[in-house]
Amino acid sequence: MDGVDRVPEIVQFGARPYVALRGKVAMDGISAFADRLREVIDWLAAREIAPNDAPFFKYDEVDMESELVMEIGFPVDDVHTGEGEIVTGVIPAGRYVTVTHHGHPDGLRDATHDLLVWADEQGLEWDADGDRWVARLEVYRSDPREVPDLNDWDTDLQFKLKD
């Protein structure tokens, strides 16, 4: 079954240090930017830093008509210092609306729309200032080496609510 597998939930997450690649990306350039995740993997490996969870896309600025400011990376155990396009940070603790999308990543745009509509209907307020988000994540739970068919992928949407 494609799409959202269940009703969104509100989940409390602790702070999550991370290492990522940051860039400005046009909507049609997300796939090419995602292909650069290997740079983060190589950077972590060179420093013997192990990810502690699945890779994520973090959307910091979302302007669908122009470009996105986004980060692709991994959560890690400790805060580190980045270099060049590799950035580090902490995904803040707090309450997040989360839901799992099962299916091809091409369906994430619709799943995101559905999540935003659901939250609006619930009267929830995002931790965002216009197009700038504190934490708007897609967490890619499926390892392409184990799940080569993108139609079978599971991706969690995690959007931070205002405290």
Side-chain angles (χ1 to χ4, degrees):
M1 177 178 90
D2 277 356
V4 173
D5 285 353
R6 60 181 195 266
V7 174
E9 301 176 285
I10 297 175
V11 176
Q12 180 76 32
F13 286 110
R16 297 173 279 176
Y18 69 90
V19 173
L21 177 68
R22 182 176 175 89
K24 290 184 177 183
V25 183
M27 281 298 293
D28 63 359
I30 293 175
S31 180
F33 188 64
D35 289 343
R36 295 183 63 196
L37 189 61
R38 168 57 57 190
E39 294 173 40
V40 181
I41 294 168
D42 292 346
W43 190 93
L44 291 168
R47 288 153 185 81
E48 299 181 351
I49 301 168
N52 65 19
D53 201 357
F56 64 82
F57 290 8
K58 181 173 176 283
Y59 295 87
D60 295 332
E61 291 184 41
V62 180
D63 181 347
M64 303 293 264
E65 311 311 316
S66 177
E67 64 184 4
L68 310 168
V69 176
M70 61 185 294
E71 298 172 354
I72 54 174
F74 293 89
V76 294
D77 289 336
D78 301 302
V79 177
H80 296 275
T81 302
E83 57 191 311
E85 290 181 283
I86 300 291
V87 299
T88 61
V90 176
I91 299 167
R95 294 179 319 126
Y96 287 72
V97 172
T98 183
V99 71
T100 299
H101 167 74
H102 179 79
H104 196 287
D106 286 350
L108 285 167
R109 188 173 185 166
D110 288 341
T112 296
H113 174 265
D114 293 347
L115 177 63
L116 294 171
V117 167
W118 177 87
D120 188 51
E121 290 170 351
Q122 305 302 310
L124 299 172
E125 190 175 354
W126 301 118
D127 198 348
D129 181 11
D131 293 340
R132 290 187 168 90
W133 289 72
V134 170
R136 178 173 166 165
L137 306 170
E138 295 171 355
V139 181
Y140 289 82
R141 297 287 173 199
S142 301
D143 184 333
R145 297 167 297 190
E146 298 169 11
V147 186
D149 185 347
L150 276 67
N151 295 304
D152 291 330
W153 278 20
D154 286 321
T155 308
D156 293 342
L157 299 177
Q158 299 175 359
F159 295 6
K160 187 174 183 307
L161 292 169
K162 196 172 281 295
D163 293 329

